[in-house]
Amino acid sequence: MNKEYEYSFKVKSIKEFIQYCTTNGYEKKEEYFEMSILYKNDVPIMARVTETIYNTRVKKY
């Protein structure tokens, strides 16, 4: 199993972060959506199960 560590910050909008990426040479490689289930208890550690949902496109000829 892969372990993933993540730091999260609450923001009102990610527009500024996207602008930072595009003005500093980052290139979008893929776009997808994620659905997460969050498990919590009385300790400050949380567990999250995330399903990545890729958009599939069909070429029409």
Side-chain angles (χ1 to χ4, degrees):
M1 179 172 78
N2 292 334
K3 290 186 178 180
E4 177 180 317
Y5 296 94
E6 178 179 301
Y7 296 95
S8 298
F9 301 94
K10 187 175 182 179
V11 295
K12 292 182 180 180
S13 172
I14 62 166
K15 186 188 304 185
E16 290 82 9
F17 182 69
I18 293 172
Q19 183 179 5
Y20 169 84
C21 291
T22 56
T23 57
N24 286 285
Y26 289 87
E27 183 179 325
K28 185 190 327 184
K29 295 292 183 182
E30 61 185 335
E31 185 172 316
Y32 57 89
F33 295 93
E34 292 183 341
M35 183 184 317
S36 297
I37 301 170
L38 183 63
Y39 295 92
K40 294 168 56 171
N41 60 16
D42 294 335
V43 298
I45 298 173
M46 297 179 284
R48 181 175 61 207
V49 177
T50 303
E51 176 185 1
T52 302
I53 304 161
Y54 290 94
N55 290 335
T56 57
R57 294 190 171 96
V58 177
K59 288 185 179 180
K60 294 184 179 180
Y61 295 97

